[in-house]
Amino acid sequence: MQEVEQTTTLNPQIKEAAIKHVKNKFIQAGDSDLIRVLKKESFKHIYKKMIVDPDDFMERPRPADIEPWGGQKPGGPRDFLKSKVVLPSLPQVLLEIQKVIKNPDSSADDLAAVINKDPKLVAAILRLANSAMFSFSSEVETTSRAVALLGFRQASSLALGTVSLSLFKRTAGTSILQIEKLWKHSIACGVIAQEIATSAGHNDVERFFVAGMLHDIGLYVVFEGDRSLAMELYEYASRDGHSFYDAEMEFLGFDHATLGGVIIKDWSFPQSLVAAIDGHHNPARDQNGPDAAIVHVADFVAQALGYDLGISSVIGRIDDEALEKIGLSTDRYAAILPNVQKLIDEIFEILNQT
Ligand SMILES: [Fe+2]
């Protein structure tokens, strides 16, 4: 943070407020080279945001139509899901896209055929292909042409992202959890998870993108399912250096990650995706692959870069064992940061119009 302070002329009041904000945000995070790098990035973002969007730092008033929470703890994630049915049915198209990606014999035409089944997906793919992100010489009018031009990987990631985000709808529950923030956070976590996995030399990196996109599905269900409880959690997490995870453990006895794991398992998604979502706040729960560890770190980095959910002033902790399991140096993380921010904003802009 010192470098930023020394090399730029900053407004002293805003600088002071931003430093205080960063300090509080990282209060549980400890100290390491990586944390120092992330704090610096976080400061830059918060300082800028305090200038362009100061309202985002004001405490939001409690929506008038939310009843006080009755204090009735659910017996566990299953119990919670049984009493609050808020999710749409299994997104079959997501599984179909994953199947095409996994099959080494799949062609661009196979992917285009799956995408063509869903008009929203077709629109997203064509919008991306015709966006400023690419400068193709002529207008791209068909899915198969778009897949050919974008490349199989880029097109499949975008298709998976579109389907995942379509699960998070704008509804009454989102008066506390702002849907735009959830979308941005999910895209950020997906993009960063995929970058970390690529940098760490893993194959099949699209699965990390999907895991990042869907990692907070349990959180969405909490907010949709019980607004009074969600408000209670939100208010607790807004006070005294508590993270949202702390609030959940205090009031629920389980967290949204466990809840999300149950949902994804019920949908018969691959085990690696269940493990990533279930373990994204406790990565040691994933004994097998690096999935939970990578999503955990990506979630933290996303929040540090300003793609947070706005439901807590504290990020939480970063798990040392997860960092060890991933095995990247701080320099490798630092190298990822500049590229991901542009990519996240571009993907958001495109998907937001769909
Ligand atoms: Fe989470």
Side-chain angles (χ1 to χ4, degrees):
M1 225 185 300
Q2 266 163 2
E3 266 173 42
V4 179
E5 289 163 37
Q6 283 160 10
T7 54
T8 328
T9 313
L10 303 176
N11 174 302
Q13 278 92 30
I14 300 176
K15 186 179 99 175
E16 200 184 314
I19 289 174
K20 207 172 147 196
H21 195 90
V22 172
K23 213 172 157 190
N24 190 38
K25 198 170 178 174
F26 284 83
I27 204 159
Q28 295 185 359
D31 193 27
S32 66
D33 284 351
L34 178 60
I35 293 297
R36 280 191 287 276
V37 166
L38 293 175
K39 272 184 172 172
K40 226 183 262 178
E41 288 298 320
S42 197
F43 172 80
K44 280 190 233 165
H45 168 84
I46 287 166
Y47 180 84
K48 202 168 130 199
K49 190 120 203 244
M50 280 181 166
I51 292 171
V52 297
D53 188 12
D55 288 352
D56 200 47
F57 296 88
M58 309 292 279
E59 209 176 304
R60 275 173 298 131
R62 186 188 175 105
D65 58 338
I66 297 183
E67 301 279 322
W69 184 50
Q72 189 83 38
K73 267 192 190 185
R78 275 264 162 246
D79 190 38
F80 185 85
L81 284 177
K82 231 185 269 164
S83 59
K84 329 270 176 196
V85 184
V86 293
L87 275 175
S89 55
L90 167 73
Q92 188 58 33
V93 65
L94 211 153
L95 288 177
E96 283 185 38
I97 298 165
Q98 281 194 316
K99 218 189 268 173
V100 171
I101 294 170
K102 255 197 214 138
N103 185 347
D105 298 329
S106 291
S107 64
D109 282 346
D110 295 328
L111 180 60
V114 176
I115 292 170
N116 277 336
K117 288 182 189 170
D118 185 332
K120 266 180 88 173
L121 267 181
V122 174
I125 296 287
L126 292 182
R127 197 168 281 133
L128 179 84
N130 288 302
S131 74
M133 212 164 139
F134 302 91
S135 313
F136 300 132
S137 51
S138 59
E139 193 167 346
V140 184
E141 285 170 343
T142 65
T143 315
S144 41
R145 181 87 187 117
V147 174
L149 287 169
L150 293 168
F152 191 86
R153 255 182 67 177
Q154 180 106 28
S156 55
S157 290
L158 191 88
L160 290 171
T162 310
V163 178
S164 305
L165 279 189
S166 69
L167 295 171
F168 306 139
K169 303 246 163 55
R170 294 178 164 88
T171 65
T174 55
S175 59
I176 317 168
L177 177 67
Q178 298 166 73
I179 205 71
E180 187 169 315
K181 285 194 187 242
L182 177 63
W183 278 33
K184 271 195 183 169
H185 175 68
S186 305
I187 294 169
C189 189
V191 167
I192 295 166
Q194 187 168 329
E195 289 295 320
I196 292 173
T198 306
S199 191
H202 294 290
N203 297 321
D204 190 14
V205 291
E206 283 82 8
R207 77 173 199 265
F208 296 95
F209 179 74
V210 179
M213 291 289 290
L214 290 175
H215 78 289
D216 271 340
I217 193 160
L219 193 80
Y220 174 78
V221 168
V222 169
F223 277 83
E224 283 293 300
D226 192 332
R227 296 175 73 208
S228 301
L229 166 67
M231 197 66 214
E232 194 75 25
L233 297 171
Y234 168 75
E235 287 181 339
Y236 183 84
S238 310
R239 299 191 298 260
D240 306 331
H242 299 136
S243 66
F244 197 79
Y245 174 81
D246 297 336
E248 288 175 321
M249 296 318 278
E250 176 76 21
F251 291 98
L252 285 176
F254 61 90
D255 71 332
H256 65 272
T258 314
L259 186 67
V262 171
I263 295 164
I264 292 294
K265 195 167 180 210
D266 284 354
W267 277 352
S268 311
F269 275 101
Q271 179 49 35
S272 61
L273 190 62
V274 177
I277 291 170
D278 173 76
H280 80 266
H281 285 285
N282 287 295
R285 284 162 67 102
D286 182 3
Q287 298 277 314
N288 301 313
D291 299 63
I294 288 180
V295 175
H296 169 78
V297 174
D299 181 19
F300 189 97
V301 173
Q303 293 181 69
L305 297 183
Y307 301 102
D308 57 64
L309 292 163
I311 53 171
S312 164
S313 54
V314 173
I315 301 186
R317 298 161 201 87
I318 193 161
D319 188 277
D320 287 338
E321 278 174 33
L323 289 169
E324 220 168 276
K325 196 171 187 181
I326 298 167
L328 289 181
S329 66
T330 300
D331 286 349
R332 300 285 289 278
Y333 282 107
I336 288 172
L337 303 181
N339 296 333
V340 294
Q341 300 191 51
K342 208 170 156 245
L343 199 57
I344 292 161
D345 293 341
E346 276 170 348
I347 293 183
F348 174 76
E349 284 310 319
I350 288 162
L351 295 184
N352 199 28
Q353 297 169 38
T354 312

